Structure formats: structure tokens, C-alpha cells
Amino acid sequence: MENNIQKVLISQEQIRAKVQEMAAQISAEYADKDPVFVGVLKGVVIFFADMVREISIPCEIDFMCLSSYGGTNSSGNVVVKKDLSVDIKGRHVVILEDIYDTGRSLDFTRKYLLSKEPASLKICTLLDKPERRVDGITLVPDYVGFTIPNEFVVGYGLDFNEHYRNLPYVGVLKPEAYEK
Ligand code: IMP
Ligand code: MG
């Protein structure tokens, strides 16, 4: 195991089983709908790649990139750094997300995509940290992989200072790793 990891919260095997289960459910629900899967970079890339390879129906994929600005603490202001390339008007869209934390980025993404008038919009998140939600965000994801406690996690796409995204599991960092 990587040296700076205190514990594995969700193993590679657990993730694989959950991805297969969610992808099978989505494939059944979206058969004949030719959905567009939208990923918000970069944290979602690993989950996204694993999910779409388990999707057994025709579909398209696309990506967006957001960035936060304004102020020292995360003020919740979000801008679109890279927009979609697919026109989603009238399409069935499923947002794939790595983690639903405070909910600011998902809330923004959802409203932004709704403004493009898709036929439908659902949200699939690998991880959900319900204790972290900020006021006013009431969005309920349609598909949730794992509900996790209020701990900062890395791996399987999730980073700390852009590191650890390549770990094949979701883990918790040792406290010393934050000081490096
Ligand atoms: P939000 O707070 O729900 O808007 O989440 C914004 C982004 O913060 C997520 O897409 C992740 O990239 C990142 N994030 C939130 N919680 C964690 C965590 O525990 N580990 C790593 N990244 C996180
Ligand atoms: Mg991140």
C-alpha cells in the first residue's frame, strides 16, 4: 500500500462490484435512450472510464471542466473552464461525479446543464459525504455508490494537491501527509 495512506476505505474489489451494479441499472433504465454521460474533470476520470466500459447500451460521452474563484476560502463561485462539445438539447443526460461533498459543484453543474434543455438529467456519484452539505443545497443524486463519513479521501481519481489520483482504491491519508 502507498506509504502515506492510513487506511483503505473502499477497496478496488468493492468499487468494481459497485460500478458493475450501477452501470447495469443505468443500462437497463436508458436502453433505447442513447444517453450522454457527462463527466466533470478531473476527479471523475477513473470512475468515468470504468463506468462507461460497463455500460452495455449505445451512448455518448463528454466532459466539462469547472474552476472556483473569488476569495481565500471556497466561496462557491464557479466558472466553466471547458464546456461540452456535444449539443445536449433534447438528449438524456447523466452526470457522472466522483464525490458529492458540499454540493456546490454538482449544484452548479446541474443548473448549467439544465439551461441547455436536455430531455432529462440524472446524477450518478461514486461517493456521497452527506455531513458536508452547505445550506440551500437539497439536490438528491439519483445513483450513489457509497455513502462515506466526513473524512478527506484520496485515490480512484480523487486528489490531495493533485497527487494520489492513480491509487486503485479510495483511502484516507495519514495526518503527516498533509504537512508535506
Ligand atoms: P463539492 O464540495 O461537492 O462542490 O465538491 C467539489 C470537489 O471537491 C469534488 O468534485 C472533488 O474534486 C473535491 N473533493 C471534495 N471532497 C473531497 C475529498 O474528500 N477528497 C478529494 N477531493 C474532494
Ligand atoms: Mg478535486
Side-chain angles (χ1 to χ4, degrees):
M1 193 166 69
E2 148 74 44
N3 230 346
N4 289 326
I5 298 296
Q6 185 173 69
K7 65 175 178 198
V8 174
L9 197 63
I10 309 168
S11 71
Q12 207 172 347
E13 292 70 30
Q14 286 174 293
I15 296 171
R16 189 178 301 129
K18 186 60 78 176
V19 164
Q20 286 172 351
E21 180 192 317
M22 289 198 293
Q25 192 187 348
I26 291 173
S27 298
E29 290 178 23
Y30 284 85
D32 307 317
K33 287 191 170 164
D34 193 17
V36 184
F37 293 99
V38 172
V40 180
L41 298 173
K42 325 186 236 200
V44 82
V45 287
I46 313 288
F47 175 53
F48 196 99
D50 282 351
M51 275 296 281
V52 296
R53 283 180 293 178
E54 294 289 340
I55 295 285
S56 56
I57 57 168
C59 64
E60 288 184 52
I61 67 172
D62 205 356
F63 299 95
M64 287 178 64
C65 189
L66 306 178
S67 82
S68 302
Y69 68 93
T72 44
N73 62 349
S74 181
S75 59
N77 294 313
V78 180
V79 282
V80 177
K81 242 166 97 178
K82 183 224 166 285
D83 204 345
L84 297 180
S85 56
V86 174
D87 179 8
I88 60 165
K89 185 170 177 151
R91 301 292 303 274
H92 295 281
V93 175
V94 181
I95 301 172
L96 298 183
E97 252 287 27
D98 49 355
I99 187 164
Y100 183 19
D101 188 43
T102 66
R104 285 192 182 106
S105 66
L106 255 187
D107 189 57
F108 175 90
T109 306
R110 184 179 154 275
K111 286 176 181 152
Y112 182 75
L113 295 183
L114 282 176
S115 75
K116 295 177 182 270
E117 301 175 38
S120 70
L121 182 64
K122 284 197 176 183
I123 295 168
C124 172
T125 184
L126 177 68
L127 306 175
D128 184 9
K129 243 194 245 177
E131 288 168 52
R132 289 265 302 161
R133 225 71 89 221
V134 292
D135 287 349
I137 294 181
T138 52
L139 170 165
V140 180
D142 302 279
Y143 311 92
V144 175
F146 302 92
T147 299
I148 62 170
N150 187 8
E151 282 184 288
F152 192 82
V153 291
V154 295
Y156 201 68
L158 292 151
D159 71 300
F160 169 65
N161 279 349
E162 295 299 330
H163 284 83
Y164 310 105
R165 293 191 196 274
N166 57 318
L167 300 179
Y169 49 81
V170 173
V172 177
L173 279 181
K174 289 177 184 164
E176 322 72 281
Y178 293 104
E179 283 129 41
K180 283 180 188 162

